[in-house]
Amino acid sequence: MRATFSMRWATVLLACGALVMSAVPAGAATTEAYRLGYGDSLTVTVVGQPNLSTIDQAVRPDGRISLPLVREVAIAGRTVNEVAQELKQAYRPFVTVPEVLVTVARFRALKVTVLGQVGRPGTFDFNTAPTVIDALATAGGLTERASRAQIKVITPAGTKLYDLDQLLAGSEKLPRLPEGSIVEVSEVWGPDFYRIVPVVASVITAGAVLLRYAW
């Protein structure tokens, strides 16, 4: 009896330790509030039942994982507590009083898209929520046509414009970008400015030549 009791508490402490040591992506308040999805990996511990426990089980593209006895379990969009509660019910036919702990073994990469006047527009993966500066640097920095005062950031919370020079000067707090954010760098004077300027310059030059020889 004492050996069984000690083993159960050792398993609980081990699982709790894994929960504390897991690296939570910046932008997620707590692991409990984090919504699981494809790319995450979970450790599921059924206390006192090592044959039913799994370590570092990846969430598949269909948003599910496979577990002993209960088989397919939907994970995507749910929290670790929600999954643990469902598994407690699922294991009742097999375990008298199931105690289930679910922890995140590895978090999926956070995807941020950078568009517009940057060196390498595209969607990039980050281990933790990047700042606007991080995202721009990863995308190759600004081009010579970029508007430094018009950095548009689109997140689930809304859209906001940032001035890059003010961010670099520290006059504004560097915002961190949640998963799925879009950073858009506009072009100075609009998309036609650099096509219009050479034409205008040519007209002015031609006019100056005509005036000179006509005079």
Side-chain angles (χ1 to χ4, degrees):
M1 175 69 73
R2 179 174 295 178
T4 302
F5 181 84
S6 299
M7 184 183 71
R8 291 183 63 182
W9 275 105
T11 307
V12 171
L13 292 175
L14 179 63
C16 290
L19 176 62
V20 173
M21 293 302 292
S22 295
V24 183
T30 64
T31 306
E32 288 78 9
Y34 179 72
R35 293 289 170 180
L36 301 166
Y38 169 55
D40 290 323
S41 288
L42 303 181
T43 291
V44 178
T45 303
V46 183
V47 179
Q49 301 292 331
N51 293 334
L52 301 181
S53 301
T54 60
I55 299 174
D56 203 0
Q57 178 83 331
V59 180
R60 302 194 306 259
D62 64 359
R64 297 172 177 269
I65 62 174
S66 297
L67 295 174
L69 296 181
V70 296
R71 299 185 179 181
E72 302 293 306
V73 181
I75 299 297
R78 311 174 75 180
T79 66
V80 290
N81 288 337
E82 289 170 349
V83 174
Q85 291 302 317
E86 178 180 337
L87 290 177
K88 285 182 182 180
Q89 297 300 320
Y91 278 118
R92 285 191 185 280
F94 311 103
V95 181
T96 304
V97 184
E99 290 296 329
V100 181
L101 298 171
V102 178
T103 60
V104 182
R106 288 182 294 111
F107 289 93
R108 66 185 180 272
L110 299 177
K111 293 186 180 297
V112 172
T113 300
V114 185
L115 303 174
Q117 293 300 313
V118 292
R120 298 186 304 276
T123 299
F124 305 94
D125 291 343
F126 296 89
N127 292 329
T128 59
T131 65
V132 174
I133 303 298
D134 295 333
L136 292 175
T138 303
L142 303 187
T143 69
E144 61 182 8
R145 299 183 181 183
S147 174
R148 300 173 66 87
Q150 296 289 319
I151 310 297
K152 181 188 294 185
V153 176
I154 304 170
T155 70
T159 301
K160 187 173 181 179
L161 290 176
Y162 292 94
D163 185 308
L164 180 60
D165 293 323
Q166 291 181 3
L167 291 176
L168 292 173
S171 56
E172 290 190 49
K173 183 179 179 181
L174 285 176
R176 290 197 172 273
L177 306 175
E179 183 179 19
S181 296
I182 299 174
V183 179
E184 184 178 349
V185 182
S186 61
E187 188 174 3
V188 177
W189 300 109
D192 296 324
F193 178 72
Y194 287 89
R195 288 195 289 269
I196 294 173
V197 168
V199 175
V200 174
S202 298
V203 172
I204 293 175
T205 301
V209 171
L210 289 174
L211 286 174
R212 178 179 179 181
Y213 285 99
W215 183 265

